[in-house]
Amino acid sequence: MSDTRFDPASADARWQSAWDEAQTFRADSDSPKPKSYVLEMFPYPSGRIHIGHVRNYTMGDVLARYKKATGHEVLHPMGWDAFGMPAENAAMEKGVHPGGWTRDNIEHMKAQLKRLGFALDWSRELATCEPDYYGHEQALFIDLYEAGLVYRKESEVNWDPVDMTVLANEQVIDGKGWRSGAEVEKRKLNQWFLKITDFAEELLDGLEGLENWPEKVRTMQANWIGKSKGLEFSFDLSNGEKLPVYTTRPDTIFGATFVAVAADHPVAQAVASRSEEARAFIAQCKRGGTTAAELETAEKLGFDTGVTASHPFTGAELPVYIANFVLMEYGTGAIMAVPGHDQRDFEFATKYGLPIPRVVAASADAADKPFAGEAESGEGVLVNSGFLDGMAVEDAKREIIARIEADGRGQGKTVWRLRDWGVSRQRYWGTPIPFIHCTACGVVPAPKESLPITLPEDVDFQTPGNPLLRHPTWKHVDCPRCGAKAERETDTLDTFTNSSWYFLRFASQPADKPFDRDEVAKWMPVEQYIGGIEHAILHLLYARFWTRALERMGMLDVKEPFASLFTQGMVTHETYSRAEGGKTVYYAPDEISREAERALLREDGGEVEIGRVIKMSKSKKNVVDPDTIIDTYGADAVRWFMLSDSPPERDLPWSEAGIEGCSRFVHRLWRLFAAYDGGAKGDDKALDRKTHQTVAAVADDIEALGFNKAVARIYELTGAVEKAAPSASRSLAIRTLVQLAAPMMPHLAEEAWAAMGESGLIADAPWPAVDPALLVEDEVTIAVQHMGKLRDTLTAPKGASREDLEAMALASEKVQRSIDGAEIRKVIVVPDRLVNIVT
Ligand code: ANZ
Ligand code: ZN
């Protein structure tokens, strides 16, 4: 082989175009091979590839290439989650069109991905912002509507009175609009919803079958769905009405010292109609945030309505408050408050001087133990609770539910935390919701033939508000039902809808419908899905919901989209900063010269502070640019670094020394490959064993996504080959190393494969075969005798069974010649030593 240096700059580009030309990674739906669908979460085209993408996609790539080598027809696609707010923000800030901005970013990022040599089927590339994607999504949305899974209802939004626009939750900062700084108001608007709650039970139960998902993701989803068993019962109020409340702790009922309702509750509204003070209080509640987390931490505020509620067992009259921590959308919007055992109630009672009795204690004799400044929500026995005294919590729950049900006051009930999914966004850069409002016919779905309903191009972002709403012509259409003048819906869909079915469109891309059921069935479910833990809840839950909904509608044959899920760790780096003019200014690693104990800013030699090793992020400037490192070290070194050292689920600290080491290893392997001599003679049994064992182990590691282990084994085999003397075994080991490295360092491997005189691409070559006999650690030499005379010697795996040794001995030609057809009377086997045949 040649002794030139390996030059990534030329080799990378050369092999990338060779794969492109040969369409090496094009997935064939009609292939008879077993299918394997490997998918990484598709990126948002923000402008540049982030190092986190590089890590995620490298992992998927190794698996995809390995699956191909092991005889699978692999689908490994890539696309763009291309709708969303950053494009609109760019439009507002830079005066560019969101479409142009997004498409430029896609072009740039695609080129970056290509430089990494990923084995992707680019023929299936899709961008969710293109009509040939979102038009099909509109069709699916209409299908969901027709299946009864889409509806409209009034619901609260964050309204920025200055920008005259609805804000997403993340655009509300400390109760103010992120751009205008104006105090955000809550407004009721008609919004579109998807009925995910219809699937709550299924989505929860389905988690059990997902054994190949991380436990923590399953737990997070289960908590989000939030099934709770409790009791709904009614208090009799002093005004003669009944007030239903919901509790998950009916056992604590003797500890209830007040009752509270949400600001929107009819009881609160009734009080407000009579009291100016109550109206002011309710208005104040509405200014605060409404998320559960905000309510948890906000100061607890209440307004005494003057109404009282009669305790069902003691008859005590409990005050009824309007309280800011009670949500209208959960349970009944009213609670029995038990300050001793619920933290929110505890804070409230402390503030308003209400009694805090104990009704659960560690033991019966701790009934009067004071609280240590907070509520106790744990297990124990009931105390100060009349007929419940001495009972365990679970027994007491059952007892109360039974008595309340017997009285006809209420019923045991299951409540879900999961809410229906509000998908309306008052924004431009999203899928237009395919409905038409007609004064005569109401809400009418757009006819399917009219899809895609495309976004107008001529929009301006300098005026506040939704560009679709103010566009002069776009929304004006004739009603598809009665032909009268009507208006299009101007809301667009939440971008999470785009990522809820993209994996189906990758599997099948007909022009006239979202996907073909039979073709999808060939690929789905995704065999391995890889992405960030930040998508543990919403994206994965929504994708599971769409899949189940489409299955129920008879459009799909799978219920769960992702058979295995892997959440990779982050790429991290220390930060560099110093205070300048009262602000903390961050510096990028390439602006710093790092010494053992300190870090200096190259520009002025001044010392900067070394911060914690944290996730790479633009705001902290602790990032490395993938393009720069590919330029410097080549794609294979970068890929190798992404796989080395850290287990893939853990964080990977970026280091200059680390990537340099990887680059050195690429060249070291090249030198070894260059020493390949196809004609070398002689064998080296120990090396053969090592080679075969490494092949088997690397395969197991890749299947288990233990890439760092596979990397370590390749290092080890490399070391062993370097030490070995030339032999046929050594040549085989070198050839095998090229194959083992191929999924990880595909450019180097192709270059070596070609230089060794192999025909075809290594990307198309099968995974090296393993001889099981060579996987056994030790071999022994067995003497084979006939009538006590040595006739042959055999090499057998250590510990081979008597039967195997006997069979091997009888298979020996020399032994057969010696026996010469005589009748065998007895075979004596001494394991690991000898076989003697008696005739
Ligand atoms: C009495 C009680 C005693 C409660 C106790 C808890 C502990 P999870 O478990 O999250 O489902 N709750 C009910 N409806 C509410 C609403 N609309 N807004 C705010 N809080 C509400 O929570 C159920 C518990 O949250 C219910 O059980 C109720 O307080 C409260 F030691 O009732 B509990
Ligand atoms: Zn009409």
Side-chain angles (χ1 to χ4, degrees):
M1 225 168 92
S2 78
D3 53 12
T4 49
R5 262 181 74 79
F6 176 65
D7 175 24
S10 85
D12 288 3
R14 204 153 14 85
W15 293 111
Q16 285 156 20
S17 24
W19 298 323
D20 271 352
E21 260 157 50
Q23 305 200 348
T24 306
F25 307 116
R26 202 172 174 133
D28 175 8
S29 298
D30 297 325
S31 163
K33 294 184 200 170
K35 305 274 190 302
S36 174
Y37 187 174
V38 177
L39 184 66
E40 300 98 50
M41 292 179 185
F42 66 162
Y44 177 76
S46 58
R48 305 184 73 77
I49 289 291
H50 182 278
I51 196 79
H53 295 129
V54 178
R55 191 177 187 204
N56 181 344
Y57 301 151
T58 301
M59 291 178 188
D61 202 57
V62 171
L63 184 66
R65 286 174 177 270
Y66 166 81
K67 286 282 176 187
K68 181 168 161 62
T70 53
H72 296 84
E73 185 68 25
V74 175
L75 173 56
H76 186 216
M78 183 55 72
W80 310 95
D81 192 10
F83 272 140
M85 297 226 314
E88 262 178 85
N89 295 342
M92 284 183 268
E93 282 157 23
K94 305 188 186 119
V96 292
H97 190 276
W101 183 84
T102 305
R103 289 177 194 112
D104 285 350
N105 288 347
I106 288 175
E107 196 181 300
H108 185 88
M109 290 169 76
K110 182 174 176 181
Q112 287 188 298
L113 290 183
K114 289 222 156 194
R115 295 193 65 196
L116 284 154
F118 292 138
L120 293 163
D121 180 353
W122 284 106
S123 74
R124 295 178 188 237
E125 178 185 7
L126 58 82
T128 58
C129 67
E130 302 300 347
D132 65 2
Y133 184 82
Y134 70 70
H136 295 299
E137 185 166 302
Q138 291 168 333
L140 289 175
F141 192 75
I142 293 170
D143 292 336
L144 288 162
Y145 173 81
E146 267 147 18
L149 295 172
V150 171
Y151 66 98
R152 270 156 62 83
K153 106 181 155 188
E154 268 221 325
S155 142
E156 252 175 16
V157 294
N158 304 305
W159 178 255
D160 184 323
V162 170
D163 271 356
M164 314 255 289
T165 185
V166 177
L167 300 177
N169 282 334
E170 59 274 18
Q171 293 177 309
V172 182
I173 296 155
D174 293 332
K176 303 206 167 60
W178 67 300
R179 263 160 56 89
S180 68
E183 189 101 5
V184 169
E185 294 167 10
K186 302 260 174 269
R187 274 218 184 166
K188 290 222 160 159
L189 278 187
N190 252 319
Q191 307 258 84
W192 292 86
F193 284 85
L194 282 175
K195 246 191 208 169
I196 190 172
T197 53
D198 260 21
F199 290 76
E201 191 100 57
E202 269 193 44
L203 288 166
L204 183 66
D205 293 348
L207 291 172
E208 261 163 48
L210 299 176
E211 299 117 9
N212 294 320
W213 280 40
E215 190 59 46
K216 73 174 172 217
V217 174
R218 293 198 282 166
T219 306
M220 285 160 87
Q221 295 226 338
N223 290 341
W224 186 263
I225 296 167
K227 181 179 189 174
S228 67
K229 285 215 172 80
L231 169 69
E232 190 177 309
F233 73 95
S234 291
F235 280 106
D236 294 325
L237 297 185
S238 55
N239 63 10
E241 288 172 17
K242 288 196 183 303
L243 176 65
V245 297
Y246 174 70
T247 174
T248 46
R249 292 292 304 273
D251 55 301
T252 62
I253 194 163
F254 284 90
T257 54
F258 65 100
V259 168
V261 301
D264 285 337
H265 195 279
V267 168
Q269 300 296 327
V271 177
S273 69
R274 301 189 298 270
S275 152
E276 172 60 35
E277 238 186 309
R279 278 197 291 280
F281 178 77
I282 290 169
Q284 184 187 358
C285 288
K286 292 203 170 183
R287 279 198 291 277
T290 52
T291 67
E294 283 169 319
L295 291 177
E296 209 73 47
T297 49
E299 192 196 356
K300 307 292 174 288
L301 297 173
F303 180 87
D304 190 344
T305 61
V307 180
T308 59
S310 165
H311 192 287
F313 296 109
T314 66
E317 289 298 324
L318 310 178
V320 178
Y321 283 85
I322 304 169
N324 67 342
F325 66 93
V326 182
L327 295 164
M328 192 57 214
E329 298 80 43
Y330 190 58
T332 62
I335 63 167
M336 71 168 194
V338 183
H341 305 282
D342 181 287
Q343 185 57 25
R344 295 160 297 182
D345 302 349
F346 187 94
E347 289 166 28
F348 189 95
T350 307
K351 175 159 179 170
Y352 292 101
L354 297 159
I356 308 181
R358 170 185 290 281
V359 289
V360 179
S363 61
D365 53 14
D368 300 321
K369 189 171 172 242
F371 291 100
E374 57 182 14
E376 289 179 20
S377 58
E379 292 287 301
V381 295
L382 273 291
V383 293
N384 305 321
S385 295
F387 56 84
L388 296 177
D389 279 357
M391 280 189 192
V393 165
E394 285 310 314
D395 296 333
K397 280 184 183 171
R398 259 193 301 276
E399 178 68 25
I400 293 295
I401 293 175
R403 288 193 186 224
I404 293 272
E405 285 182 349
D407 284 358
R409 260 180 190 281
Q411 241 175 355
K413 212 178 162 186
T414 299
V415 167
W416 301 85
R417 178 166 291 118
L418 186 67
R419 295 278 89 93
D420 274 339
W421 173 14
V423 291
S424 277
R425 297 292 179 272
Q426 290 71 28
R427 321 235 134 253
Y428 169 76
W429 197 231
T431 303
I433 295 179
F435 279 83
I436 291 155
H437 300 275
C438 168
T439 29
C441 313
V443 179
V444 184
K448 286 233 174 129
E449 320 77 77
S450 70
L451 304 182
I453 296 163
T454 55
L455 291 165
E457 287 289 321
D458 53 332
V459 280
D460 89 277
F461 292 89
Q462 302 316 314
T463 328
N466 178 357
L468 291 181
L469 190 60
R470 29 163 222 278
H471 191 278
T473 55
W474 186 79
K475 69 179 174 191
H476 300 293
V477 284
D478 294 339
C479 170
R481 213 161 274 169
C482 72
K485 294 224 171 310
E487 285 192 3
R488 284 194 192 291
E489 172 63 59
T490 58
D491 286 356
T492 51
L493 289 173
D494 178 6
T495 57
F496 273 121
T497 59
N498 306 150
S499 50
S500 290
W501 71 283
Y502 77 111
F503 42 90
L504 303 174
R505 185 73 189 165
F506 274 146
S508 165
Q509 315 192 317
D512 58 342
K513 54 183 174 182
F515 50 82
D516 176 78
R517 178 178 174 166
D518 293 333
E519 200 185 7
V520 162
K522 292 180 184 174
W523 293 109
M524 287 294 287
V526 172
E527 184 179 349
Q528 181 67 59
Y529 197 33
I530 307 178
I533 187 74
E534 66 276 17
H535 293 299
I537 299 178
L538 294 183
H539 161 57
L540 291 169
L541 193 65
Y542 292 153
R544 293 181 61 218
F545 159 58
W546 273 63
T547 305
R548 281 178 182 270
L550 297 176
E551 192 268 348
R552 194 188 279 181
M553 287 150 61
M555 295 173 70
L556 272 187
D557 300 298
V558 280
K559 287 192 163 154
E560 286 290 341
F562 313 121
S564 298
L565 172 72
F566 187 81
T567 54
Q568 91 276 2
M570 294 177 298
V571 183
T572 58
H573 197 283
E574 57 192 19
T575 60
Y576 308 106
S577 66
R578 69 183 178 195
E580 283 172 22
K583 276 203 304 195
T584 305
V585 179
Y586 286 93
Y587 292 98
D590 61 5
E591 297 175 283
I592 297 296
S593 98
R594 183 75 167 79
E595 299 174 1
E597 298 290 319
R598 357 176 261 167
L600 305 177
L601 185 63
R602 288 223 172 95
E603 200 182 10
D604 60 13
E607 189 163 348
V608 295
E609 199 179 313
I610 302 170
R612 279 188 313 125
V613 177
I614 53 171
K615 177 184 179 176
M616 285 190 174
S617 80
K618 267 194 206 155
S619 65
K620 298 285 190 308
K621 276 203 164 185
N622 61 337
V623 289
V624 289
D625 174 36
D627 276 341
T628 315
I629 55 177
I630 299 169
D631 286 343
T632 318
Y633 303 103
D636 290 339
V638 174
R639 294 169 58 112
W640 189 250
F641 181 85
M642 292 293 130
L643 303 165
S644 311
D645 295 340
S646 298
E649 66 279 9
R650 298 260 195 81
D651 288 352
L652 172 67
W654 174 264
S655 84
E656 208 62 37
I659 181 73
E660 275 163 14
C662 290
S663 171
R664 276 198 302 279
F665 186 62
V666 170
H667 294 288
R668 180 176 150 201
L669 269 185
W670 177 252
R671 286 192 297 276
L672 186 59
F673 295 164
Y676 176 76
D677 170 9
K681 295 272 178 319
D683 42 306
D684 177 340
K685 271 276 164 280
L687 185 60
D688 282 344
R689 251 194 322 268
K690 177 104 197 149
T691 303
H692 283 259
Q693 284 166 359
T694 305
V695 172
V698 167
D700 289 347
D701 290 337
I702 294 178
E703 301 254 13
L705 310 186
F707 303 111
N708 59 317
K709 291 189 196 154
V711 160
R713 290 186 212 279
I714 291 175
Y715 274 120
E716 216 183 291
L717 181 60
T718 303
V721 177
E722 283 169 338
K723 281 197 219 95
S727 66
S729 300
R730 185 173 190 262
S731 299
L732 173 76
I734 294 177
R735 189 174 180 277
T736 306
L737 259 178
V738 178
Q739 291 176 284
L740 295 183
M744 300 157 184
M745 303 194 223
H747 310 88
L748 175 77
E750 292 288 5
E751 193 87 348
W753 197 244
M756 282 174 175
E758 298 285 349
S759 63
L761 295 163
I762 198 169
D764 288 321
W767 189 249
V770 172
D771 176 355
L774 290 174
L775 295 183
V776 182
E777 193 48 66
D778 281 310
E779 287 179 341
V780 285
T781 306
I782 308 284
V784 185
Q785 301 172 338
H786 177 212
M787 305 303 288
K789 284 206 187 83
L790 183 70
R791 294 294 178 207
D792 199 0
T793 55
L794 299 171
T795 310
K798 193 171 175 195
S801 69
R802 285 169 185 275
E803 294 73 23
D804 283 352
L805 290 176
E806 181 178 330
M808 284 170 79
L810 291 173
S812 156
E813 235 177 82
K814 289 179 188 160
V815 172
Q816 283 300 337
R817 230 179 294 132
S818 171
I819 296 171
D820 196 23
E823 187 198 341
I824 297 165
R825 301 215 328 264
K826 204 163 152 197
V827 180
I828 301 153
V829 179
V830 183
D832 292 340
R833 297 271 306 277
L834 73 83
V835 180
N836 184 15
I837 296 156
V838 182
T839 51

